[in-house]
Structures are given as structure tokens and as C-alpha cells.
Amino acid sequence: MNNSHIRYEALHPLVEEILEKLSERIGVNTLFFALNDSYSNFVVKAINQERQLIEEGSTHVFQHVLCKLVVDETDGKVSINELLNDPLTVNHPVTKALGNGSFLGVAIKNAENEKIGTLCAFDDQPFDFKEQDIALVERYADIISKSINVETYVIKDALTDVYNERYMNRLISSVTIHPAFLMVLNLDRFHAINATHGYRSGNEVLREIANRLKYVPLPNHVVGRMDGNEFVVLAALEQEQEFEQHAEEYARIVTEAIEQPIVGVADEPIHVTASSGVSLLTGDMASRQTQIYAAEALMQQVKHDGKRRTSFVNPNRHAEQHPFASVLESELSHALERGQFELYYQWIVDAKQEHYVAVEALLRWNHPVLGFVSPTDFIPIAEKMEIFPDIGRFTICQAILDQRRLEETFGRKISVAVNLSANQFESDQLFSELIRLTEESYFPNERLILEIREEVLQTRRRFAIKRLEQLRQAGYRLTVDHFGSHYASLNSLLRLPVQAVKLDPIFTRRLVQNQLERSMIRSVHSLTSTLNIALVIQEVETPSQLQHIQTLDELLYVQGYEVHHPQPIDQLLVEDIIRGRAEV
């Protein structure tokens, strides 16, 4: 069996959607998508009409299938209306088995431009493939190829071949019925290894540590490199009680693997230690962010206190998981009525023409004593206290008022983007309020952009798509935020009624130094352009990042400190900075 089908399993919903669309347009009996490795041809997805000519999930000898003709063809395209009348297929094993038939196939290519499979239309009867049929299959094959290119960059860290930060964030933050052991570790004094032995040796050390972590004897574990010399180990648990039973043992196994001397990299063995924090992740999404924060905070504390130690979170002590939780809970209950919340605004800019196209509303909590409190700290607590619906309602209403002020001041149409949390997006009450708002004559719904984070689309996909369609029909413009950190939007991108996607900021941070990140952005941009969806690059903070982005084509926008710092509405109004207008 072709093992590559496992790697591209995340593309199955996308491919299924494509096959359904093709079946509505091309009247052949069978449509299928297959992957091959020159030995076998694995049928990933198949749609049969009257007769089952291709079995989904089946594997065939590559030398005996029509897909080989496509892969062998220079331009990766074969169209045969009648198998018995074409010299390529008159004596082919498939023709002999069918008696006659028809076939149209277009190659699927990976990020290295290698032909790894085919998108095919197939029948046991002759069929007259029109030019439009061929063009349609080519277009969808191109979408699958570009999706595979995106998927290639989403999973693995280029240096160490363990999972990268994007994918680990997806695993850590995903909803699960099982608890998990989470260990965040940072290699101690790694800068000294680079200084003594050189960066190439330092990279070899990172590869060796990553390889050791991959093969430590922990049940159902995965390993990721978050950035630099920081790694994460995640191991599934059947029950939360197992954390108390096994957490110290798991941490010891990981630590011992790291501390074995590394030989063969330098003239002498290299000794490595690590500082780490360990937390229990539960299936409770409201608590998960603080559980992740706890492991990271404990690791940082170990680094500060002297390194080479593991600190464990007590899952029964909430204050230990978030040192300010009790303070924030107390202050949050009065923050809205005391007028401590305000919106800051940041412009979104056309990357090519450099004019401003929209503005995003960013919620800020300005506490008189604590100062500005990060949304990542207070939003999970506000949701747990069940007061975030009121805060979210304030955000939307204030953004609408400010949008009107912006248009009145600058004398032109201006779109404002507002983020919806997962709970807001799924709230029937908020959804009713959003629909009711569009019925007001003054409401500029076409100029209010709702941003939904990608992980919202992970679960209840049909519900999410239906709700997006209803919001779009009501007149809202829609954006998927943090695209590339999960698979959900990639799976559903063909059906999502969105006008834009915002790339996960992780891609931007390593854009200048990492060719892989530039390739990733080009692949995502190529895919979104094919679907006529705008792409927004977030957290653009340096001139070099902006210059790299500007080498790409149209339908590309940027947002970040390099083009504009977030400002409160009054400060924004006094700056005549709008230099043009375009549609995101």
C-alpha cells in the first residue's frame, strides 16, 4: 500500500468536495484521486455512479494503471475518448479488462514539482471529453497540488524533521476527549554551544536532540520544535489520574535522553541539559490556554532559578497555573462597567500599491493599576466567568460606531474588521443579534468584516460552513484568521464563503531568514489567488519582511507595525493617513 496517503489524509475533505463538483459537470461514471510512488497506485477518494469501476481505498500495481500514462507524460495530462482507438491504450491491461472505455487524467504535483498522483475521470464506455472538461479537471488538479504544497510546509520543521510550531499548536489547542502530558523544554546555555563549536554543530545538536525525543519510550507521544532551542513533548493519557502516576517518570525518561553525551559532532562529546515545565492538558478548552501557559511559565522560572530542572504544575491549584487568575477574575467582573475596555485600530495595507484598505479593531483592557492586560490572559478567564458575551457585544457595537466616525471624518467608505471568538461564533444569541443588526437602515454590513480563527472550523464543519454562509448572505464580509495553523480551512477552503484569509503570524516571523517560510507564503498565495480569495500577511514588523512580501502578485495585503501601529480611535482620526481605497 502507498504510505503517502497517510501524509495527505488532511486533504480528503477537499478532494471529496472537488470530486462532487466535477461529477456535477462531467457525465462520466467514475471520478477519482490517486497517489502513486512508482510501485503502487493508491485510490484516496472515488465517486462511482451506476457501476463501481474504482474502489476507494484500493491499491493497484502502478505499472498496470492508466495513471502511469499521466505521470509519464511530459505535461502531466492525458485525454482519451475511446481506449480501443488510441495506440497508448489499445493493448493496455485496463482496456483488456473493460473491453473499451474512456479516460481523462491530470497530474498532481508536490512542492518539489514531482508528479505524485492524478485527478481522473474514467468510464467503461467511450466518452467525448470536451475542452471545457479538460480545463475543469486541470483547474481542480492545480488546487489539489497547491493544497499539497501548503500541507507540506504546515507539518514539519525543516531543520529537525519533527513537527513544527504551527502543527504543535494545532495539536495542543485542539479539542480532545483525552487528557495529555505536556512538557515544554528549553536547552540550557545553547548559545555557548554555538559560540564554542559553531552554528553548524549547533544545528547538528538540535537534530540529534529532536531525533532522541522522537524515539523516547512514551506511549502515543509526539514531538515538536517550537523555535530556536525549545521543544515540546505531548503524550496522550487515557485518564487525568494517570498524570499523577506517570508525569515524573515521563519527564525523567525525556531528561535522560537529552543528557546522554552527543558524540561525533565536535572533537569532544557535547553535554546538553534542559530546563522544563510540565502541565496536564485536559479536554476543557476554557482551561487549556492557562494549562499551556503554566508549562511555559514554569520552564521560564526554572531557567531563571538556575536551569537543569523540571517543574510540575499541580493541576488542582488553579492559581499556580495562572499566577494572576484570582486578581483578573476579581477585576474583570467590573471592567466593562468601569469603562476600562477600549478599541485600538490597525490599518490593513495593499502590499503592492501601499494604500490603506481596511482597519482591524483590537480589544484592549487598560486597567488603572495593572496597565494593559493581554487579551490572551483575560479572554479565557472572561469566557470561563461567562462575561465575555457582554465584552464581545461591546466590541462589535463600538466598532460600528467608530466605523461611522471614520467614514464621516475621511469622507470615504472604510471597512472595519472585528474578531469573533469560537464561543461568539457558535452563540445563537449573538448570531441573532448580528442578523438583526443588518436589518437596520444605518448599518454598513458590507463594511463590517467578521474574522473567525481557523480552529473554529476544526469541529462541526457543516455547522461552521452553514453559519458562514448565513452571515455572508446577510451582507457581512468574512475572513479566516490564523490560516495555516490547522487543517480545517484547507479542507474546506473550496466551500468557505470568505473573501480573505489571514496567514498565521508564525510564517512572517521567520520570513527573511528562512527560505521555507517564503516558499510557504508563495504556495498559500498561489492557492488563494486561484480561488480568488485575498491573502493578508500579519505581523509584518520589519522593512525586510515587507520587501519580501512585495515581490508577490496581486490580492495580497499586509498588516503589522512596519505599516501601522495600533491606535485608539481619537488618535487615528487626527491622522490623515488614508492614501487610497481598495477592496479586501
Side-chain angles (χ1 to χ4, degrees):
M1 180 179 291
N2 187 327
N3 291 328
S4 62
H5 78 277
I6 299 173
R7 178 178 180 184
Y8 300 116
E9 185 176 355
L11 293 170
H12 289 192
L14 174 68
V15 172
E16 185 173 8
E17 185 71 28
I18 284 175
L19 293 180
E20 289 176 358
K21 287 182 176 294
L22 286 174
S23 68
E24 296 170 0
R25 302 281 296 276
I26 303 176
V28 293
N29 184 81
T30 301
L31 292 153
F32 68 91
F33 166 57
L35 291 168
N36 67 76
D37 57 9
S38 78
Y39 298 103
S40 62
N41 201 71
F42 177 79
V43 180
V44 177
K45 283 289 177 183
I47 291 181
N48 292 281
Q49 304 296 341
E50 298 178 0
R51 302 168 298 282
Q52 183 166 328
L53 300 179
I54 295 290
E55 182 182 359
E56 185 174 299
S58 60
T59 303
H60 308 273
V61 178
F62 181 62
Q63 303 297 324
H64 298 164
V65 295
L66 295 170
C67 295
K68 183 178 185 300
L69 302 177
V70 180
V71 175
D72 290 344
E73 191 68 29
T74 302
D75 63 356
K77 179 174 65 177
V78 168
S79 175
I80 300 173
N81 292 342
E82 192 169 354
L83 298 178
L84 277 175
N85 284 341
D86 193 290
L88 276 176
T89 55
V90 61
N91 295 313
H92 196 278
V94 172
T95 307
K96 292 180 179 179
L98 294 178
N100 202 351
S102 50
F103 176 76
L104 166 62
V106 177
I108 304 298
K109 300 178 181 179
N110 64 11
E112 287 74 42
N113 207 37
E114 300 168 328
K115 299 168 188 168
I116 62 168
T118 48
L119 180 63
C120 304
F122 177 57
D123 209 327
D124 59 357
Q125 304 294 323
F127 186 88
D128 184 18
F129 291 110
K130 310 292 186 187
E131 286 298 321
Q132 58 265 34
D133 297 332
I134 299 173
L136 193 63
V137 174
E138 283 184 298
R139 178 175 182 270
Y140 284 122
D142 184 48
I143 290 173
I144 294 174
S145 295
K146 289 171 178 174
S147 299
I148 286 176
N149 293 350
V150 172
E151 184 266 355
T152 299
Y153 298 120
V154 164
I155 293 180
K156 290 295 182 71
D157 173 58
L159 176 65
T160 61
D161 199 42
V162 296
Y163 291 126
N164 60 24
E165 184 176 358
R166 292 181 293 273
Y167 190 69
M168 287 305 296
N169 284 338
R170 175 209 173 205
L171 292 178
I172 292 170
S173 63
S174 62
V175 178
T176 174
I177 60 173
H178 293 295
F181 163 94
L182 173 68
M183 186 174 188
V184 179
L185 58 95
N186 188 283
L187 303 184
D188 297 328
R189 300 181 179 89
F190 188 74
H191 64 280
I193 295 176
N194 285 330
T196 304
H197 303 288
Y199 285 96
R200 290 187 179 179
S201 295
N203 286 342
E204 288 300 320
V205 169
L206 291 174
R207 291 190 187 98
E208 175 62 22
I209 294 297
N211 192 59
R212 291 181 181 183
L213 293 177
K214 278 197 299 185
Y215 295 105
V216 292
L218 301 185
N220 303 315
H221 85 287
V222 293
V223 178
R225 180 186 175 215
M226 302 307 279
D227 199 9
N229 55 314
E230 184 172 313
F231 291 87
V232 166
V233 178
L234 186 69
L237 303 171
E238 288 296 326
Q239 298 178 343
E240 291 185 20
Q241 290 82 351
E242 292 182 25
F243 182 79
E244 292 185 12
Q245 299 169 3
H246 300 299
E248 290 189 11
E249 177 191 359
Y250 287 1
R252 177 185 56 78
I253 291 172
V254 171
T255 301
E256 289 179 353
I258 291 173
E259 293 186 351
Q260 291 294 318
I262 298 174
V263 297
V265 173
D267 295 335
E268 57 188 27
I270 296 176
H271 298 271
V272 178
T273 63
S275 301
S276 55
V278 173
S279 178
L280 166 67
L281 296 189
T282 67
D284 179 9
M285 279 300 293
S287 302
R288 179 152 292 207
Q289 199 59 44
T290 58
Q291 294 160 357
I292 296 166
Y293 169 87
E296 295 173 342
L298 288 175
M299 180 270 290
Q300 293 293 345
Q301 189 63 48
V302 171
K303 297 283 286 187
H304 182 267
D305 290 344
K307 307 177 174 61
R308 196 183 180 181
R309 188 169 61 85
T310 299
S311 186
F312 296 83
V313 167
N314 183 339
N316 299 317
R317 290 170 57 189
H318 183 69
E320 184 178 338
Q321 296 185 44
H322 197 307
F324 307 111
S326 59
V327 176
L328 295 182
E329 285 184 13
S330 175
E331 295 299 312
L332 264 175
S333 59
H334 305 290
L336 189 59
E337 65 186 64
R338 292 172 179 171
Q340 294 173 357
F341 289 110
E342 58 183 311
L343 298 185
Y344 274 47
Y345 291 92
Q346 185 175 47
W347 291 106
I348 301 170
V349 182
D350 184 295
K352 283 285 188 182
Q353 302 178 33
E354 298 189 20
H355 59 245
Y356 295 86
V357 298
V359 66
E360 180 179 358
L362 303 169
L363 180 64
R364 296 289 185 263
W365 179 18
N366 188 2
H367 189 276
V369 177
L370 300 175
F372 281 101
V373 183
S374 170
T376 59
D377 284 334
F378 74 77
I379 289 179
I381 296 175
E383 289 187 330
K384 186 175 182 179
M385 296 172 63
E386 298 183 351
I387 62 173
F388 192 70
D390 293 332
I391 299 173
R393 192 174 295 107
F394 158 80
T395 302
I396 294 171
C397 293
Q398 189 62 50
I400 293 170
L401 293 174
D402 290 343
Q403 188 272 342
R404 292 163 64 185
R405 289 182 65 189
L406 285 168
E407 288 197 349
E408 290 170 1
T409 300
F410 295 116
R412 66 189 72 196
K413 295 179 180 179
I414 298 173
S415 297
V416 176
V418 178
N419 288 279
L420 295 185
S421 70
N423 289 339
Q424 284 180 296
F425 180 72
E426 294 181 359
S427 168
D428 292 335
Q429 181 179 350
L430 180 63
F431 174 73
S432 299
E433 291 176 6
L434 288 172
I435 299 300
R436 190 162 53 249
L437 276 173
T438 63
E439 298 171 356
E440 302 291 340
S441 58
Y442 67 86
F443 183 66
N445 48 320
E446 270 292 340
R447 296 193 289 285
L448 188 66
I449 304 169
L450 301 179
E451 294 189 1
I452 298 92
R453 286 180 67 104
E454 186 180 37
E455 59 261 32
V456 175
L457 305 176
Q458 275 189 273
T459 57
R460 302 179 66 192
R461 186 170 74 99
R462 291 184 179 178
F463 165 82
I465 292 175
K466 180 180 179 181
R467 178 143 292 187
L468 288 174
E469 288 174 343
Q470 290 171 323
L471 290 170
R472 181 55 192 153
Q473 289 172 7
Y476 290 100
R477 291 159 63 194
L478 305 170
T479 295
V480 175
D481 196 9
H482 281 66
F483 180 88
S485 58
H486 301 75
Y487 284 133
S489 58
L490 180 61
N491 292 345
S492 310
L493 198 55
L494 209 61
R495 285 189 58 191
L496 291 178
V498 300
Q499 288 68 56
V501 295
K502 282 189 170 183
L503 197 63
D504 192 289
I506 297 174
F507 297 109
T508 313
R509 294 169 198 161
R510 298 195 286 262
L511 174 64
V512 178
Q513 295 82 12
N514 195 330
Q515 176 62 41
L516 190 65
E517 305 302 323
R518 295 196 289 274
S519 299
M520 172 63 188
I521 290 178
R522 282 194 293 270
S523 295
V524 174
H525 182 251
S526 180
L527 174 60
T528 54
S529 295
T530 300
L531 299 173
N532 198 34
I533 295 174
L535 178 64
V536 181
I537 311 296
Q538 300 187 82
E539 295 191 14
V540 178
E541 298 180 350
T542 68
S544 298
Q545 289 173 341
L546 183 59
Q547 289 169 9
H548 277 90
I549 293 167
Q550 288 175 329
T551 61
L552 299 173
D553 295 320
E554 306 302 323
L555 280 176
L556 187 65
Y557 304 89
V558 294
Q559 180 179 1
Y561 281 11
E562 175 59 23
V563 292
H564 183 248
H565 283 251
Q567 298 170 334
I569 183 66
D570 290 335
Q571 187 174 346
L572 196 71
L573 288 171
V574 299
E575 294 188 2
D576 190 8
I577 57 175
I578 300 181
R579 297 176 297 189
R581 179 179 177 272
E583 293 295 330
V584 177

